[in-house]
Short mmCIF file of all heavy atoms in Angstrom, two decimals:
data_model
loop_
_atom_site.label_atom_id
_atom_site.label_comp_id
_atom_site.label_asym_id
_atom_site.label_seq_id
_atom_site.Cartn_x
_atom_site.Cartn_y
_atom_site.Cartn_z
N VAL A 197 0.86 -1.17 0.00
CA VAL A 197 0.00 0.00 0.00
C VAL A 197 0.91 1.23 0.00
O VAL A 197 1.76 1.38 0.88
CB VAL A 197 -0.95 0.02 1.22
CG1 VAL A 197 -1.91 1.20 1.14
CG2 VAL A 197 -1.72 -1.29 1.33
N LEU A 198 0.71 2.08 -1.01
CA LEU A 198 1.60 3.22 -1.22
C LEU A 198 0.82 4.53 -1.17
O LEU A 198 -0.14 4.70 -1.94
CB LEU A 198 2.26 3.11 -2.60
CG LEU A 198 3.02 1.83 -2.83
CD1 LEU A 198 2.55 1.14 -4.08
CD2 LEU A 198 4.48 2.11 -2.89
N PRO A 199 1.22 5.46 -0.30
CA PRO A 199 0.58 6.77 -0.33
C PRO A 199 1.03 7.52 -1.57
O PRO A 199 2.21 7.49 -1.94
CB PRO A 199 1.11 7.45 0.94
CG PRO A 199 2.41 6.79 1.22
CD PRO A 199 2.29 5.38 0.70
N MET A 200 0.10 8.15 -2.25
CA MET A 200 0.40 8.92 -3.44
C MET A 200 -0.09 10.35 -3.21
O MET A 200 -0.85 10.60 -2.27
CB MET A 200 -0.29 8.30 -4.67
CG MET A 200 0.08 6.86 -4.96
SD MET A 200 1.83 6.56 -5.31
CE MET A 200 2.04 7.41 -6.86
N THR A 201 0.30 11.28 -4.04
CA THR A 201 -0.17 12.65 -3.92
C THR A 201 -1.69 12.68 -4.02
O THR A 201 -2.36 13.39 -3.27
CB THR A 201 0.46 13.54 -5.01
OG1 THR A 201 1.88 13.47 -4.88
CG2 THR A 201 0.02 14.98 -4.87
N ARG A 202 -2.24 11.88 -4.93
CA ARG A 202 -3.69 11.75 -5.07
C ARG A 202 -4.10 10.35 -4.61
O ARG A 202 -4.08 9.40 -5.37
CB ARG A 202 -4.11 11.96 -6.53
CG ARG A 202 -4.04 13.40 -6.98
CD ARG A 202 -4.61 13.66 -8.37
NE ARG A 202 -5.70 12.79 -8.73
CZ ARG A 202 -5.70 12.03 -9.84
NH1 ARG A 202 -4.67 12.02 -10.66
NH2 ARG A 202 -6.74 11.28 -10.12
N GLY A 203 -4.44 10.21 -3.36
CA GLY A 203 -4.93 8.94 -2.82
C GLY A 203 -3.83 7.93 -2.56
O GLY A 203 -2.75 8.28 -2.08
N HIS A 204 -4.12 6.67 -2.88
CA HIS A 204 -3.15 5.61 -2.64
C HIS A 204 -3.25 4.56 -3.74
O HIS A 204 -4.27 4.44 -4.42
CB HIS A 204 -3.37 4.96 -1.27
CG HIS A 204 -4.61 4.12 -1.19
ND1 HIS A 204 -5.87 4.64 -0.93
CD2 HIS A 204 -4.79 2.78 -1.35
CE1 HIS A 204 -6.75 3.67 -0.92
NE2 HIS A 204 -6.13 2.52 -1.18
N LEU A 205 -2.17 3.80 -3.89
CA LEU A 205 -2.16 2.62 -4.74
C LEU A 205 -2.03 1.41 -3.83
O LEU A 205 -1.31 1.44 -2.84
CB LEU A 205 -0.98 2.65 -5.72
CG LEU A 205 -1.14 3.55 -6.92
CD1 LEU A 205 0.18 3.65 -7.68
CD2 LEU A 205 -2.24 3.04 -7.83
N SER A 206 -2.71 0.36 -4.20
CA SER A 206 -2.69 -0.89 -3.45
C SER A 206 -2.45 -2.01 -4.44
O SER A 206 -3.17 -2.12 -5.44
CB SER A 206 -4.04 -1.05 -2.74
OG SER A 206 -4.11 -2.26 -2.05
N VAL A 207 -1.42 -2.83 -4.18
CA VAL A 207 -1.05 -3.88 -5.11
C VAL A 207 -0.86 -5.18 -4.31
O VAL A 207 -0.04 -5.24 -3.40
CB VAL A 207 0.25 -3.53 -5.87
CG1 VAL A 207 0.60 -4.63 -6.86
CG2 VAL A 207 0.12 -2.18 -6.57
N ALA A 208 -1.64 -6.20 -4.66
CA ALA A 208 -1.55 -7.50 -3.99
C ALA A 208 -0.64 -8.42 -4.80
O ALA A 208 -0.71 -8.47 -6.02
CB ALA A 208 -2.93 -8.13 -3.83
N PHE A 209 0.21 -9.16 -4.08
CA PHE A 209 1.19 -10.05 -4.69
C PHE A 209 1.01 -11.48 -4.20
O PHE A 209 0.57 -11.70 -3.06
CB PHE A 209 2.61 -9.62 -4.26
CG PHE A 209 3.09 -8.34 -4.88
CD1 PHE A 209 2.72 -7.12 -4.35
CD2 PHE A 209 3.93 -8.36 -5.97
CE1 PHE A 209 3.18 -5.93 -4.90
CE2 PHE A 209 4.39 -7.18 -6.54
CZ PHE A 209 4.01 -5.97 -6.00
N GLU A 210 1.40 -12.42 -5.03
CA GLU A 210 1.49 -13.82 -4.61
C GLU A 210 2.46 -13.90 -3.43
O GLU A 210 3.38 -13.08 -3.30
CB GLU A 210 1.98 -14.71 -5.75
CG GLU A 210 1.06 -14.74 -6.96
CD GLU A 210 -0.27 -15.45 -6.70
OE1 GLU A 210 -0.40 -16.17 -5.69
OE2 GLU A 210 -1.18 -15.29 -7.53
N LEU A 211 2.27 -14.90 -2.57
CA LEU A 211 3.09 -15.01 -1.37
C LEU A 211 4.59 -15.15 -1.67
O LEU A 211 5.42 -14.71 -0.87
CB LEU A 211 2.62 -16.19 -0.52
CG LEU A 211 1.27 -15.98 0.17
CD1 LEU A 211 0.85 -17.26 0.88
CD2 LEU A 211 1.34 -14.82 1.15
N ALA A 212 4.95 -15.75 -2.77
CA ALA A 212 6.36 -15.97 -3.07
C ALA A 212 7.09 -14.69 -3.48
O ALA A 212 8.32 -14.64 -3.47
CB ALA A 212 6.50 -17.02 -4.18
N ALA A 213 6.36 -13.64 -3.83
CA ALA A 213 6.97 -12.37 -4.25
C ALA A 213 7.33 -11.53 -3.04
O ALA A 213 6.76 -11.70 -1.96
CB ALA A 213 6.01 -11.62 -5.16
N TYR A 214 8.26 -10.62 -3.22
CA TYR A 214 8.61 -9.66 -2.17
C TYR A 214 8.20 -8.27 -2.65
O TYR A 214 8.88 -7.66 -3.48
CB TYR A 214 10.10 -9.72 -1.83
CG TYR A 214 10.43 -8.90 -0.61
CD1 TYR A 214 9.90 -9.24 0.63
CD2 TYR A 214 11.22 -7.78 -0.70
CE1 TYR A 214 10.16 -8.48 1.75
CE2 TYR A 214 11.49 -7.01 0.42
CZ TYR A 214 10.96 -7.37 1.63
OH TYR A 214 11.21 -6.61 2.75
N PRO A 215 7.07 -7.75 -2.16
CA PRO A 215 6.51 -6.50 -2.67
C PRO A 215 7.46 -5.30 -2.63
O PRO A 215 7.41 -4.45 -3.52
CB PRO A 215 5.29 -6.26 -1.78
CG PRO A 215 4.90 -7.62 -1.32
CD PRO A 215 6.19 -8.37 -1.16
N ALA A 216 8.32 -5.22 -1.64
CA ALA A 216 9.23 -4.07 -1.54
C ALA A 216 10.12 -3.96 -2.77
O ALA A 216 10.54 -2.85 -3.13
CB ALA A 216 10.06 -4.17 -0.27
N ASP A 217 10.40 -5.07 -3.43
CA ASP A 217 11.22 -5.04 -4.64
C ASP A 217 10.56 -4.24 -5.76
O ASP A 217 11.24 -3.79 -6.68
CB ASP A 217 11.49 -6.46 -5.16
CG ASP A 217 12.43 -7.24 -4.26
OD1 ASP A 217 13.10 -6.63 -3.39
OD2 ASP A 217 12.49 -8.48 -4.41
N TYR A 218 9.26 -4.06 -5.71
CA TYR A 218 8.51 -3.40 -6.77
C TYR A 218 7.99 -2.01 -6.36
O TYR A 218 7.39 -1.32 -7.18
CB TYR A 218 7.31 -4.27 -7.19
CG TYR A 218 7.76 -5.62 -7.69
CD1 TYR A 218 7.80 -6.71 -6.84
CD2 TYR A 218 8.17 -5.78 -9.01
CE1 TYR A 218 8.24 -7.95 -7.29
CE2 TYR A 218 8.60 -7.02 -9.47
CZ TYR A 218 8.64 -8.09 -8.60
OH TYR A 218 9.08 -9.31 -9.05
N ALA A 219 8.22 -1.62 -5.11
CA ALA A 219 7.64 -0.38 -4.60
C ALA A 219 8.03 0.83 -5.43
O ALA A 219 7.16 1.61 -5.84
CB ALA A 219 8.02 -0.18 -3.13
N GLN A 220 9.31 1.02 -5.70
CA GLN A 220 9.72 2.22 -6.42
C GLN A 220 9.18 2.23 -7.84
O GLN A 220 8.75 3.28 -8.34
CB GLN A 220 11.24 2.39 -6.42
CG GLN A 220 11.68 3.74 -6.94
CD GLN A 220 11.10 4.90 -6.13
OE1 GLN A 220 11.25 4.95 -4.91
NE2 GLN A 220 10.41 5.82 -6.79
#
């Protein structure tokens, strides 16, 4: 879950993925 200037983005990942790798 990422705060954005306009609202937020929310991205769900399979358990085997590491979401922080895709944050930027």
Side-chain angles (χ1 to χ4, degrees):
V197 184
L198 304 126
M200 302 299 293
T201 302
R202 287 187 31 236
H204 71 277
L205 283 171
S206 177
V207 182
F209 289 82
E210 298 291 345
L211 289 175
Y214 189 64
D217 290 345
Y218 300 95
Q220 190 58 54

